[in-house]
Amino acid sequence: MLVRIRPGAELSGAEREFVECLHAYPSTGLALVDCQVGDRRLGAVIVTPRGITVIEVMGFRRRQSGLLAVSAGTWTISDSPLDLDTEQSTGLTDRVEHGVHAVRVALEQALQDSRHVSGAVVMVPYRGVVVRPARTALRPGLDVLVANTVDAHELRVYLEGFSAGPREWTIDRVLTTCTALGVGDLTPSRNDLAADGFDGNRPAQAPIPPQPRKFTEPIQAPPADPTRRGKLAGPIVFAAALIGVFVVFLVVGQALLDDPPTPRTTSETTQTTTRAPTTPASKGPTQCWPFQDGC
């Protein structure tokens, strides 16, 4: 991580230990320590590829250890008030919130996005002193951290994940952010930012060449299910047989209506059966043969 300290800055013991922690991190980022933004002096402004966070560093006057309790009123460690080397704990969150507001106003005046700006209070206890919990979220975008050179894991986790946005802070955006905050004397070079891991400018996306149209075969309907077809064959045949029978009865009935049968009488039947065959009359003279009777 790149660390830039304002020339002539007088850092406290806690702030110097905080700077040592930043130097030891391999994470990509730019820390502007003891910088002036607008009319406010901020402990540190850290720019990472995913956002900006404003840090206020607080140290202890004596060795205090135990459970850190954060409330809207006073902050305590194992039911004892915090004994800080700068100011009372009641003003810690106000100081951070004012710093976050100053950074957002500076970015907005430069027509830059100010959404990904967070804030945190970093409490640096004496070395070898254990203070828990090491990280407490007061509200979204405002955290309280405990870290020193002996145990700085929670601070590193916070700096690498306080913003879940995409890697939008490229080299050019970091440079324009420094200009917007008015910290031009702390701005690193492009080569330093690239060596630290910041992305270069995203190249413009090349236009996609037109692709030839592809003709695809028409989608054919899936073959009918043979099981379903077999189930329908039986009812269809039965329906056809019923229709055929109905047609036969209809034809027979129509024939009976058009030509009703008439019974014959007994005399007509007798005449028909007893009538003898008649011999047709001979035409012309009859030829006679020798010895033929009747000639």
Side-chain angles (χ1 to χ4, degrees):
M1 178 175 291
L2 296 175
V3 180
R4 295 292 185 268
I5 304 174
R6 181 182 59 86
E10 296 180 359
L11 304 180
S12 64
E15 291 173 337
R16 289 193 297 269
E17 189 154 356
F18 172 73
V19 171
E20 291 182 17
C21 294
L22 298 180
H23 277 297
Y25 293 153
S27 308
T28 301
L30 171 63
L32 307 173
V33 180
D34 196 21
C35 60
Q36 183 81 22
V37 178
D39 58 349
R40 301 197 65 84
R41 181 65 61 79
L42 306 180
V45 176
I46 300 178
V47 183
T48 70
R50 289 185 169 84
I52 302 174
T53 183
V54 179
I55 302 292
E56 290 295 336
V57 182
M58 300 296 171
F60 291 82
R61 294 182 186 272
R62 57 186 177 90
R63 301 175 67 89
Q64 286 186 291
S65 62
L67 181 63
L68 175 65
V70 179
S71 63
T74 59
W75 297 3
T76 61
I77 293 182
S78 298
D79 299 331
S80 298
L82 290 178
D83 190 5
L84 302 178
D85 60 0
T86 53
E87 58 183 68
Q88 296 298 322
S89 60
T90 54
L92 293 180
T93 57
D94 295 340
R95 185 171 175 177
V96 175
E97 289 177 345
H98 292 162
V100 171
H101 178 72
V103 171
R104 286 179 175 172
V105 169
L107 294 176
E108 290 172 358
Q109 290 178 351
L111 302 180
Q112 296 188 26
D113 188 6
S114 62
R115 293 175 299 172
H116 301 289
V117 180
S118 304
V121 177
V122 178
M123 308 183 70
V124 183
Y126 282 78
R127 297 181 182 181
V129 174
V130 178
V131 177
R132 290 290 182 270
R135 179 178 178 182
T136 303
L138 297 180
R139 60 173 178 79
L142 183 59
D143 293 80
V144 178
L145 308 172
V146 178
N148 53 27
T149 55
V150 177
D151 185 7
H153 176 71
E154 292 296 333
L155 177 59
R156 178 180 175 180
V157 171
Y158 170 80
L159 294 177
E160 293 178 352
F162 69 88
S163 177
R167 294 175 63 92
E168 295 182 349
W169 266 262
T170 60
I171 294 176
D172 282 346
R173 186 168 182 180
V174 173
L175 296 177
T176 55
T177 297
C178 293
T179 303
L181 298 180
V183 292
D185 54 341
L186 303 180
T187 304
S189 64
R190 300 178 63 89
N191 293 334
D192 292 339
L193 293 174
D196 192 61
F198 282 97
D199 298 333
N201 296 330
R202 295 185 177 89
Q205 185 176 2
I208 301 175
Q211 300 292 332
R213 296 181 60 183
K214 297 180 179 180
F215 297 92
T216 58
E217 296 182 357
I219 301 176
Q220 299 180 356
D225 188 3
T227 304
R228 183 179 179 183
R229 183 165 51 189
K231 293 180 179 179
L232 295 177
I236 292 174
V237 172
F238 180 75
L242 289 180
I243 294 173
V245 173
F246 177 76
V247 170
V248 171
F249 278 103
L250 183 62
V251 171
V252 173
Q254 187 67 26
L256 292 177
L257 292 176
D258 295 341
D259 188 15
T262 54
R264 295 181 178 180
T265 59
T266 306
S267 60
E268 293 177 348
T269 305
T270 306
Q271 291 177 1
T272 302
T273 55
T274 57
R275 183 178 297 176
T278 59
T279 302
S282 60
K283 296 180 181 181
T286 304
Q287 296 179 2
C288 295
W289 301 92
F291 306 104
Q292 181 177 359
D293 297 335
C295 289

